Amino acid sequence: MSKKPPQQHKESNDHISNETELLHIPVLLEKVIELLSPKTNETYLDLTAGYGGHARAILAKTGNASKMTLVDRDNFAIQQLESFRELGAKVVHDDFAHFIRSAIAGAKRYNMVLVDLGVSSPQLDKAERGFSLKRNGPLDMRMDQRQEKTAADIVNHASETVLQEIIERYGEEPPGRARAIARAITRARPILTTQVLADVILNTHRGRFQKTHPATRTFQAIRIELNRELEQVETLLKNIPALLEPGGRIAIISFHSLEDRLVKQYFADQANAGYEAELTLLTKKAILGKTDDVHNPRARSAILRVAVKK
Ligand SMILES: C[S@@+](CC[C@H](N)C(=O)[O-])C[C@H]1O[C@@H](n2cnc3c(N)ncnc32)[C@H](O)[C@@H]1O
């Protein structure tokens, strides 16, 4: 190899002065490599390639970038993956549900597939992306910047009932609390920044809060709704066997119970399908990121499940 893929950066929560300081530490890296168990020249599909942290470790084992396909819907992530492209990898700017449909239409199959769901630390850390309630920025939250609709459209234009449903369904807030938040939002409109939204929600909360900010679940809910995140996971799950070569492995890392519930159910269905099962589970129980890296806040809620195609 003549060129090295980009260096990873370290995580820093309090000081972001330029892009080179943004960090993304791949979660559960050792476990992912152990269970995907890459062999020389095997094909690899990374459906959420991000900053290429996992991909870099896989490449070190397979030694062949031209056998890698790296997908991400975020333009900034795609730019970071340029050095993989220079090495011969296929880098695709797309959402993975759409990519999967076209891969299957083209009868493409892979030895390894990785899906590391959710947002990356650099997405959260950049205030202007509007993902984080701790950083004041516009209400954006788009994973794909080509999309027109932003979080501001939902916050300012959805009816109170629809907002309540979103907060209940994707934020898993109890109905009474979701209703109170939805009402406060509609009364405070227009809301243009993450800070104002966080404060409006905070004001609906009586008493002091412990660790988690009262707006955390609503932010998650709006992000999931805006980016159709669960529909993406559902399309993935329906198509896993068609994406894998016989003996091919898939690893899925999820970060919240809504995603993991879908993945867990799919894995359980496979485990209980008897002779009709297309996959064998390599993780009988999920592997949790808690113990992985105490310095990486994302790792704390990571849930890894891995299976192999028969
Ligand atoms: C947790 S990060 C992945 C980090 C990567 N594993 C690494 O080591 O650098 C998740 C990435 O997936 C992307 N992403 C999330 N949902 C996606 C989807 N449905 N389709 C394509 N990319 C998606 C995000 O834009 C983000 O860059």
Side-chain angles (χ1 to χ4, degrees):
M1 274 191 288
S2 56
K3 272 194 182 174
K4 277 191 180 160
Q7 285 291 306
Q8 276 174 64
H9 306 298
K10 287 199 138 186
E11 191 117 51
S12 130
N13 281 324
D14 46 14
H15 170 73
I16 307 290
S17 61
N18 63 44
E19 282 174 6
T20 59
E21 281 187 55
L22 295 171
L23 333 150
H24 186 87
I25 307 170
V27 302
L28 288 162
L29 183 61
E30 273 178 31
K31 277 286 167 200
V32 167
I33 298 298
E34 179 193 321
L35 291 160
L36 282 182
S37 107
K39 323 252 177 336
T40 311
N41 274 329
E42 279 194 322
T43 50
Y44 172 67
L45 171 63
D46 194 326
L47 289 171
T48 52
Y51 287 69
H54 290 101
R56 192 172 304 119
I58 297 276
L59 178 57
K61 302 275 183 193
T62 62
N64 191 344
S66 67
K67 300 271 175 94
M68 306 182 98
T69 303
L70 309 180
V71 180
D72 204 290
R73 74 200 322 203
D74 184 333
N75 190 40
F76 186 66
I78 290 296
Q79 287 166 19
Q80 308 306 305
L81 297 168
E82 185 54 33
S83 54
F84 285 92
R85 198 199 300 270
E86 287 169 13
L87 290 170
K90 192 171 170 201
V91 176
V92 185
H93 187 189
D94 203 352
D95 68 75
F96 62 68
H98 185 260
F99 174 85
I100 287 168
R101 287 191 205 101
S102 45
I104 289 173
K108 298 259 185 345
R109 289 176 185 270
Y110 303 86
N111 300 122
M112 294 169 284
V113 177
L114 174 65
V115 195
D116 176 12
L117 291 162
V119 278
S120 63
S121 310
Q123 285 170 333
L124 280 171
D125 286 342
K126 286 178 115 189
E128 68 269 27
R129 299 298 300 269
F131 282 110
S132 171
L133 61 85
K134 295 190 190 121
R135 293 172 197 280
N136 193 20
L139 276 177
D140 189 325
M141 298 196 202
R142 288 170 302 171
M143 283 197 182
D144 187 336
Q145 298 90 337
R146 297 170 298 189
Q147 179 180 311
E148 272 184 29
K149 187 174 174 185
T150 67
D153 292 312
I154 296 176
V155 169
N156 291 302
H157 300 298
S159 70
E160 191 175 311
T161 317
V162 168
L163 272 178
Q164 181 186 335
E165 272 169 23
I166 292 171
I167 297 166
E168 240 182 278
R169 184 177 314 153
Y170 298 141
E172 297 187 285
E173 291 280 20
R177 172 116 189 90
R179 195 178 317 120
I181 295 172
R183 183 168 305 155
I185 290 175
T186 50
R187 287 188 180 159
R189 287 168 173 176
I191 300 175
L192 301 178
T193 63
T194 51
Q195 179 75 61
V196 173
L197 179 60
D199 288 347
V200 166
I201 298 167
L202 182 60
N203 287 337
T204 64
H205 184 83
R206 286 197 206 96
R208 296 169 68 124
F209 63 92
Q210 300 282 313
K211 273 194 214 139
T212 311
H213 190 288
T216 305
R217 287 170 169 273
T218 300
F219 269 64
Q220 169 186 298
I222 295 168
R223 195 198 88 203
I224 292 175
E225 164 72 17
L226 179 71
N227 294 292
R228 316 297 316 155
E229 292 181 32
L230 298 184
E231 289 86 338
Q232 291 277 315
V233 175
E234 280 162 0
T235 301
L236 164 75
L237 296 175
K238 272 189 215 132
N239 291 294
I240 288 175
L243 271 183
L244 291 171
E245 297 279 10
R249 288 83 67 201
I250 178 154
I252 306 179
I253 306 173
S254 37
F255 287 89
H256 53 73
S257 53
L258 291 166
E259 280 166 358
D260 186 55
R261 214 170 286 153
L262 295 174
V263 181
K264 185 178 176 181
Q265 185 60 53
Y266 175 78
F267 274 45
D269 291 347
Q270 287 292 326
N272 297 326
Y275 66 88
E276 285 184 351
E278 293 172 282
L279 305 178
T280 307
L281 308 197
L282 294 179
T283 45
K284 297 275 178 281
K285 274 186 162 184
I287 296 175
L288 305 180
K290 277 182 197 151
T291 50
D292 184 38
D293 183 349
V294 286
H295 302 298
N296 184 358
R298 282 184 70 252
R300 271 184 240 136
S301 39
I303 309 165
L304 169 67
R305 298 181 191 273
V306 187
V308 56
K309 183 167 164 178
K310 294 190 173 182

